[in-house]
Amino acid sequence: MTKFSESNQSESNRSVIKKENAVRDRGGKKRAFSRLGRCWQLYLLLAPTVVYLFIFNYLPMTGIQIAFRDYKFSRGIWDSAWVGLKHFRTFFESVQFESLMVNTVKISVYALLFGFPFPIILALLLNECKSMKLKKTVQTLTYAPYFISTVVMVSMLSMFLSPSTGIVNKAISFFGGTPYDFMGSAKAFRSVYIISGIWQGTGWSSIIFIAALAGIDPQLHEAAEIDGANRLQRIWHINLPGILPTAVIVFIMNCGSIMSVGFEKVYLMQNSMNQSTSEIIATYVYKMGIQKAQYSYTTAIGLFNSLINLVLLLIVNHISKKVSEISVF
């Protein structure tokens, strides 16, 4: 009798819990619908963006499967033969694999290491500038290069670095040096790419750090001045810690795109003399995919590239979370 009463009691308890969960679910649905009803205008404004992202970003992801198929245009995606990891193995075993990986990683890592501090330094300098006229002038001059198209940028580099008529080589000759073909040198390619990228992107990238500096409480600086701290001490102990979370987030996001070096600029700067250091994954994919129509092969390379970026993003984010408790997610 005791066991029978205990089983009946447990069954009644379970039924009560089920009823409570059902009531809670109905209440949650009602609240969700009520919020939807109150804010339907906002959801209506959001709908076109969601539809756009679904159609142009998520729906095309079904085409990733051609990386595992021997894609034929006449057969379509779904009817092409399934070949598994064949295209991945072909890329890993190719002669270009090592040089492509080395060139891509070197260009991206060097650009990150040498280019990342400049926007922070510029933001700190502009934040300390007392003259608004000078500050706006410097901002305009540093922001302007970002809006120059890639084609115009590379054309400017070709003109400035020309061995015969370029202003850089003219200056070298003036000081007794020998003109140097920067655009035709494999050794100088990475330096030209990185320095021109710093010049073009520093001003624009500094905006987010200027905004972070604007959010620092001015009372901290006032208290530091009362305590006798000079300008450098206030920058080191107030400004830098204030923008540290923003800098870490930006660094993590940049690490997540290490393998995604921009295609246009490298391709336009590339020539037969510097190809040993300028041939990267993006340019190789363009040549094999667009020019030689090897769609499955290049899709496999692109998928491999994206997976590396994802792994790097997760690793750097995890390390940052452990060390500084700052992370993207």
Side-chain angles (χ1 to χ4, degrees):
M1 291 294 292
T2 304
K3 292 182 179 179
F4 180 75
S5 61
E6 289 178 353
S7 62
N8 287 337
Q9 186 176 2
S10 62
E11 290 179 0
S12 63
N13 290 335
R14 284 196 294 270
S15 62
V16 171
I17 293 173
K18 289 181 179 178
K19 290 179 181 180
E20 291 178 352
N21 291 334
V23 172
R24 191 179 298 110
D25 292 339
R26 286 196 296 270
K29 291 179 181 179
K30 288 181 180 179
R31 286 192 296 270
F33 281 114
S34 64
R35 287 196 297 268
L36 182 62
R38 290 195 304 269
C39 306
W40 66 270
Q41 298 95 336
L42 297 178
Y43 288 106
L44 184 63
L45 291 173
L46 186 63
T49 303
V50 174
V51 173
Y52 174 84
L53 290 174
F54 176 76
I55 294 176
F56 294 102
N57 291 80
Y58 290 95
L59 197 60
M61 290 177 67
T62 57
I64 292 177
Q65 62 180 295
I66 69 174
F68 306 95
R69 296 178 181 270
D70 191 8
Y71 175 70
K72 302 295 183 184
F73 184 78
S74 58
R75 294 183 180 180
I77 295 177
W78 299 97
D79 293 330
S80 296
W82 185 271
V83 295
L85 300 177
K86 171 188 172 183
H87 301 297
F88 293 92
R89 288 194 296 269
T90 302
F91 177 58
F92 297 152
E93 296 171 359
S94 66
V95 179
Q96 298 93 338
F97 176 74
E98 183 178 354
S99 62
L100 290 173
M101 292 294 294
V102 170
N103 291 340
T104 303
V105 171
K106 280 187 175 181
I107 289 177
S108 188
V109 171
Y110 289 165
L112 178 61
L113 293 179
F114 292 106
F116 185 76
F118 280 91
I120 298 176
I121 295 172
L122 178 61
L124 292 172
L125 292 175
L126 290 174
N127 187 65
E128 295 299 319
C129 183
K130 302 302 181 182
S131 174
M132 291 302 299
K133 186 176 181 179
L134 177 60
K135 184 176 181 179
K136 291 181 179 180
T137 302
V138 173
Q139 285 179 313
T140 302
L141 293 175
T142 54
Y143 294 171
Y146 179 81
F147 300 98
I148 299 175
S149 69
T150 306
V151 177
V152 175
M153 168 63 69
V154 177
S155 299
M156 292 171 61
L157 290 175
S158 300
M159 293 171 59
F160 295 156
L161 301 177
S162 172
S164 57
T165 60
I167 186 174
V168 174
N169 278 301
K170 289 289 185 182
I172 293 175
S173 300
F174 178 79
F175 289 103
T178 303
Y180 187 79
D181 186 7
F182 292 94
M183 298 296 288
S185 171
K187 293 181 179 180
F189 175 81
R190 296 191 186 104
S191 300
V192 174
Y193 180 90
I194 293 168
I195 293 172
S196 61
I198 292 172
W199 174 72
Q200 187 175 21
T202 295
W204 181 260
S205 300
S206 66
I207 293 176
I208 188 171
F209 298 110
I210 293 173
L213 287 169
I216 297 176
D217 191 353
Q219 294 182 354
L220 295 175
H221 287 278
E222 295 174 0
E225 287 181 355
I226 294 174
D227 291 337
N230 57 34
R231 180 171 293 185
L232 290 177
Q233 290 174 331
R234 286 188 282 111
I235 291 174
W236 183 259
H237 294 287
I238 298 177
N239 289 345
L240 285 177
I243 64 174
L244 180 62
T246 304
V248 171
I249 296 298
V250 172
F251 182 79
I252 292 173
M253 299 301 292
N254 288 339
C255 288
S257 59
I258 280 181
M259 300 298 293
S260 301
V261 181
F263 156 78
E264 298 89 352
K265 185 177 176 181
V266 176
Y267 186 74
L268 291 170
M269 291 177 61
Q270 190 177 87
N271 54 57
S272 59
M273 293 181 288
N274 63 21
Q275 194 166 0
S276 60
T277 56
S278 65
E279 186 75 324
I280 60 173
I281 291 178
T283 56
Y284 181 73
V285 167
Y286 170 78
K287 294 174 182 176
M288 300 301 293
I290 303 300
Q291 297 179 355
K292 297 185 179 181
Q294 297 186 20
Y295 303 118
S296 294
Y297 179 56
T298 51
T299 302
I301 297 173
L303 182 58
F304 167 73
N305 205 31
S306 299
L307 288 176
I308 292 180
N309 283 333
L310 177 61
V311 171
L312 288 174
L313 175 63
L314 294 176
I315 292 174
V316 176
N317 184 76
H318 179 72
I319 294 174
S320 174
K321 192 174 184 179
K322 290 291 185 181
V323 174
S324 62
E325 298 183 354
I326 302 172
S327 62
V328 178
F329 48 84

